[in-house]
Amino acid sequence: MARKGEVQIVNPPSDVISAVKFSPKTSQFLLVSSWDTSVRLYDVLNNTLRHKFFHSSPVLDCTFLDTVKTVSGGLDNTVKLYDLNTHIEHNLGTHDAAVKCVEHASMINGILTGSWDRTVKLWDGREKECVGTYDQSAGKVYSMSCIEERLVVATSDRKVLIWDLRHMSNYVERRESSLKYQTRTVRCFPNKEGYVMSSIEGRVALEYFNPSPEWQKKKFAFKCHRAKQNEIEHIYPVNAISFHNVYNTFASGGSDGFVNIWDGFNKKRLCQFHMYDSSISSLCFSDDGSALAIACSYMDEAETPPEPYPEPILYIRYVSEQETRPK
C-alpha cells in the first residue's frame, strides 16, 4: 500500500523484480527487469507502462546505455541491446552461463556484463560487438559496480576483484570480503573512495580503495535488517543497495521488507521507512536523488510461502532532504 510521498506503479511484472534502474538525468523513466522474462519501461510521473519487450528466459539485470537505448541479460545467457524509440532489438552476444549483472561504463562508453560463467565481458554498443573477455579468478559474478575508471566485481567464494577499465590486462587487486557469508550486492560510492557490499546474513560493509593503513583503518561492517521475536534473532539477506549521488548516503533493502537510509561515513542510520509488502529485491535512486524506486518481491525465503502469495509491487518514493542528507 502506498503512503504519503509514495506512488504505487500500475502494471508491475508478474514475477520477481530483479532490477530497477532510473533513466540517466531524469526521474521520469524507470527500467524494470523481471523473472517473468520482461523488461519494462515506466513513465513514473504519469504512472504508465510505456513499453515492454521480452527475453526467452527470466531477466536478471538491465540498464540504460543512454536515454533511448537499454541493455539487459539473464538466464538465456544473451546480452540484448534495445532501442526504445525504434523498438529494434539486437542480440549483442552471449555468455556461457546466465548474465547476472549489466552495467554501463560511461567513461569508456561501453557495456559491461558479469556472468555465472566466471567472466566479465566488455561490449561496444555502437559496433555491437564484444571487445574483451576478462576471467574473474574462477568466481561466478554475483554483483558488480563501476564508477569512472574503477570496476568492482563481487564473486562467489566471497572474493572481490577491483579493475581499472583503462588497463584490463589484469585486475588491480583481489580482496576477500570482510563479510563471512555470501555477497548479495556491491555498489561504488559516488565520490569514488570505495564501495559498500552486503551479504545474505544481515550485514553491510564499507570498504575503501586506498590501500594505505590509515584508509584501511576506516573500513567497517555493521549488522542490519534483523529482528528479535521471542528472544530469537531473525536475520535477513540484504538484497539491494543504492547510493544518493548528491549526499553519498545510501539505501539498503532487505528480506525483512524494510528500507533503511544510512550515512556510512558517520556510521549512522538516518531513517527507516515503513514495512513493505514483501522482500525488497531492488532499489534505485534517481540521478538527482529526489526519487527512490523500491521493488518488492517475495523471493522464496520461507519454507512455506505466505498466504496469500505476495505479488510483486513497485513503488516510487519521493524522498525528503531530511531522510537522505547527513545530519
Side-chain angles (χ1 to χ4, degrees):
M1 186 181 85
R3 312 280 178 103
K4 186 172 181 289
E6 272 184 3
V7 177
Q8 184 174 335
I9 299 299
V10 297
N11 293 319
S14 58
D15 205 341
V16 171
I17 298 165
S18 54
V20 289
K21 303 278 176 77
F22 272 106
S23 175
K25 310 288 179 260
T26 171
S27 54
Q28 182 170 0
F29 298 108
L30 185 74
L31 196 65
V32 177
S33 59
S34 168
W35 279 74
D36 71 1
T37 77
S38 74
V39 179
R40 296 164 188 244
L41 179 75
Y42 293 93
D43 176 340
V44 300
L45 283 187
N46 297 300
N47 202 348
T48 52
L49 173 61
R50 286 287 290 268
H51 192 61
K52 66 178 170 180
F53 62 92
F54 295 91
H55 281 244
S56 58
S57 297
V59 189
L60 301 183
D61 203 6
C62 61
T63 195
F64 283 93
L65 183 55
D66 54 35
T67 51
V68 296
K69 291 192 187 69
T70 71
V71 189
S72 47
L75 291 181
D76 58 7
N77 305 359
T78 302
V79 181
K80 197 185 284 278
L81 180 67
Y82 194 90
D83 189 309
L84 296 165
N85 278 352
T86 62
H87 300 175
I88 292 170
E89 60 179 68
H90 188 96
N91 287 345
L92 284 180
T94 58
H95 277 269
D96 293 335
V99 179
K100 178 63 175 66
C101 315
V102 181
E103 288 276 313
H104 174 223
S106 52
M107 185 181 179
I108 55 170
N109 198 21
I111 300 153
L112 292 160
T113 54
S115 167
W116 293 342
D117 71 4
R118 299 173 161 80
T119 69
V120 166
K121 290 191 177 189
L122 176 62
W123 310 82
D124 183 324
R126 283 173 302 193
E127 299 298 327
K128 299 183 173 57
E129 63 182 8
C130 178
V131 291
T133 301
Y134 310 101
D135 179 65
Q136 297 303 304
S137 202
K140 290 182 181 179
V141 177
Y142 285 169
S143 183
M144 65 184 196
S145 178
C146 66
I147 182 97
E148 295 192 10
E149 77 279 2
R150 289 191 192 273
L151 169 67
V152 178
V153 183
T155 69
S156 49
D157 304 325
R158 301 176 33 254
K159 297 291 185 286
V160 179
L161 294 159
I162 299 165
W163 297 79
D164 183 332
L165 292 171
R166 300 163 303 182
H167 313 287
M168 289 292 281
S169 52
N170 205 350
Y171 53 79
V172 177
E173 198 181 343
R174 183 182 182 207
R175 295 182 179 181
E176 182 120 329
S177 165
S178 52
L179 303 173
K180 290 195 195 113
Y181 292 85
Q182 186 190 94
T183 306
R184 205 25 89 81
T185 187
V186 65
R187 289 273 93 3
C188 291
F189 298 168
N191 69 5
K192 302 200 315 186
E193 286 179 0
Y195 55 91
V196 169
M197 58 195 300
S198 69
S199 78
I200 58 170
E201 187 250 350
R203 270 178 215 266
V204 166
L206 269 81
E207 302 270 350
Y208 291 90
F209 291 127
N210 191 322
S212 71
E214 60 267 32
W215 275 90
Q216 288 305 308
K217 262 198 317 225
K218 294 183 184 182
K219 73 177 191 179
F220 69 99
F222 60 92
K223 297 175 184 176
C224 51
H225 298 281
R226 297 169 177 229
K228 260 208 166 124
Q229 280 174 327
N230 306 327
E231 298 305 303
I232 297 169
E233 188 173 44
H234 294 264
I235 299 171
Y236 298 92
V238 183
N239 304 313
I241 288 171
S242 182
F243 268 97
H244 191 289
N245 285 333
V246 182
Y247 296 137
N248 278 291
T249 53
F250 64 92
S252 67
S255 289
D256 57 349
F258 282 104
V259 175
N260 295 314
I261 308 282
W262 306 93
D263 174 0
F265 297 105
N266 295 310
K267 303 186 182 180
K268 271 188 195 156
R269 184 169 79 177
L270 297 174
C271 68
Q272 181 179 68
F273 301 157
H274 62 85
M275 190 174 184
Y276 286 88
D277 311 69
S278 56
S279 302
I280 308 300
S281 57
S282 186
L283 292 169
C284 185
F285 273 112
S286 58
D287 254 11
D288 65 357
S290 64
L292 178 64
I294 301 168
C296 308
S297 308
Y298 175 62
M299 296 163 73
D300 292 324
E301 292 97 341
E303 283 179 40
T304 51
E307 291 286 336
Y309 194 88
E311 296 294 323
I313 301 180
L314 262 176
Y315 294 103
I316 303 297
R317 185 180 179 100
Y318 292 97
V319 291
S320 67
E321 198 168 287
Q322 195 181 348
E323 291 168 330
T324 55
R325 186 175 190 162
K327 293 187 169 53

